[in-house]
Amino acid sequence: MRSKFTLLTDSHWESIKNILTDKRKRKYCLRTIFNAILWICRTGSQWRNLSSEYPYWQIVYYYFDKWEKSGVLEQVMLKLVRKERIYQGHNYAPSVGAIDSQSVKKSAFVSIETGIDGGKHINGRKRHLAVDSLGLPIAISVSSANVHDSIGAFDLLWRIDKVSHRMKLIRTDKAYCGDFSEMVEKYYKWKIEITQKPPSEKGFVPQKGRWQVERSFAWLNNFRRLSKDYEKIPESAVAFIQVAFISILLK
């Protein structure tokens, strides 16, 4: 992970421009606008404090909102994931996934779909993430923090099924036992593997097949926009997680 924000290189832009551009004549360069979105995600700045080297913040936000609602950001992320998997000698569609969640505090003005995670004493939202064996994202969802891990993860299943026709195994911890595990095995016909560190162990203990998802959450910590949940709606929170992974995959 680089220590500071850097602009897209020519090769970076070439790898994603076909999804972002529609060959219309525009006053503002889409590459510059996408750089601005990456800058916001990395630095954590407010939209209204967007650096003057970029177009007006309202224009940048318009495209961020448009690309989030149309699924363009997800398309870019998944395209880069597939390219990286092929580059590392894997099939473009994963057959094994790992699921976990991360509760994050909300900022003061966020009030839609928030709650308190009683176990971690966090008032905010919960990020649900499914990754492949390389730690690359397969599916992302955001709920209020008071939603149980196994309930919030239901929203990941159809997303995983849409992305990969080869999925065979899902690795989780004991929080996902019960109805969630039953749904995975009976409806989707995937195997589920529950792993948990021994009660006698303290601190972080890498678990087979699941440490990758913990590392993926750690990658997100490098983006100040994700240090808390600053987004008014969960859909925007998901979009910024997608932007963060796009930045990671491009670099």
Side-chain angles (χ1 to χ4, degrees):
M1 183 65 64
R2 300 192 180 189
S3 59
K4 66 177 183 178
F5 172 76
T6 54
L7 297 172
L8 294 173
T9 65
D10 291 342
S11 61
H12 292 159
W13 179 243
E14 285 296 322
S15 65
I16 64 175
K17 72 175 185 179
N18 289 338
I19 299 177
L20 296 175
T21 59
D22 54 12
K23 298 183 180 181
R24 286 175 49 197
K25 290 184 178 180
R26 301 178 185 277
K27 182 177 179 181
Y28 299 98
C29 173
L30 291 183
R31 178 173 174 175
T32 302
I33 288 172
F34 199 72
N35 270 318
I37 294 172
L38 293 172
W39 183 87
I40 287 277
C41 186
R42 185 61 188 265
T43 65
S45 174
Q46 295 176 314
W47 285 107
R48 289 171 176 78
N49 290 330
L50 181 64
S51 173
S52 58
E53 65 183 287
Y54 299 112
Y56 295 119
W57 73 267
Q58 295 96 327
I59 296 170
V60 177
Y61 178 78
Y62 165 80
Y63 279 99
F64 172 81
D65 185 59
K66 174 184 176 181
W67 289 336
E68 178 265 306
K69 290 178 178 176
S70 63
V72 167
L73 293 176
E74 182 182 27
Q75 290 177 45
V76 172
M77 182 189 75
L78 292 177
K79 177 184 178 180
L80 294 174
V81 167
R82 289 173 178 176
K83 288 184 68 175
E84 181 63 20
R85 284 184 57 83
I86 293 171
Y87 176 76
Q88 295 201 31
H90 296 264
N91 187 289
Y92 75 90
S95 60
V96 178
I99 291 176
D100 207 347
S101 69
Q102 178 191 54
S103 294
V104 292
K105 294 180 180 179
K106 68 181 183 71
S107 60
F109 59 83
V110 175
S111 59
I112 299 174
E113 289 195 47
T114 66
I116 298 175
D117 182 338
K120 297 179 181 177
H121 307 288
I122 291 177
N123 183 10
R125 290 192 178 129
K126 186 173 287 187
R127 297 165 181 164
H128 305 273
L129 181 61
V131 303
D132 63 14
S133 59
L134 301 174
L136 305 180
I138 304 173
I140 303 167
S141 181
V142 172
S143 69
S144 59
N146 61 337
V147 172
H148 192 271
D149 291 2
S150 62
I151 301 300
F154 276 110
D155 193 42
L156 295 176
L157 295 178
W158 69 270
R159 300 175 189 274
I160 296 171
D161 193 43
K162 181 181 71 171
V163 170
S164 178
H165 62 280
R166 298 179 64 246
M167 188 58 60
K168 295 178 181 178
L169 173 66
I170 298 292
R171 292 188 170 112
T172 64
D173 59 26
K174 65 180 182 181
Y176 296 87
C177 294
D179 292 342
F180 178 82
S181 297
E182 186 176 341
M183 173 69 79
V184 170
E185 293 179 332
K186 290 188 176 181
Y187 183 80
Y188 289 95
K189 308 301 181 183
W190 304 332
K191 293 182 180 179
I192 190 159
E193 183 179 296
I194 306 295
T195 60
Q196 195 75 22
K197 72 178 181 180
S200 59
E201 296 287 347
K202 294 183 179 180
F204 175 70
V205 178
Q207 297 165 47
K208 179 183 177 182
R210 286 192 57 248
W211 63 269
Q212 292 90 341
V213 68
E214 299 289 352
R215 183 184 62 180
S216 299
F217 279 125
W219 286 341
L220 299 179
N221 293 336
N222 291 285
F223 297 85
R224 295 192 68 181
R225 186 78 184 196
L226 302 179
S227 61
K228 284 186 177 181
D229 197 315
Y230 294 99
E231 315 314 317
K232 289 187 177 180
I233 57 175
E235 290 79 8
S236 293
V238 170
F240 267 115
I241 296 172
Q242 292 168 345
V243 170
F245 276 119
I246 289 169
S247 178
I248 291 168
L249 288 159
L250 286 173
K251 301 293 168 52

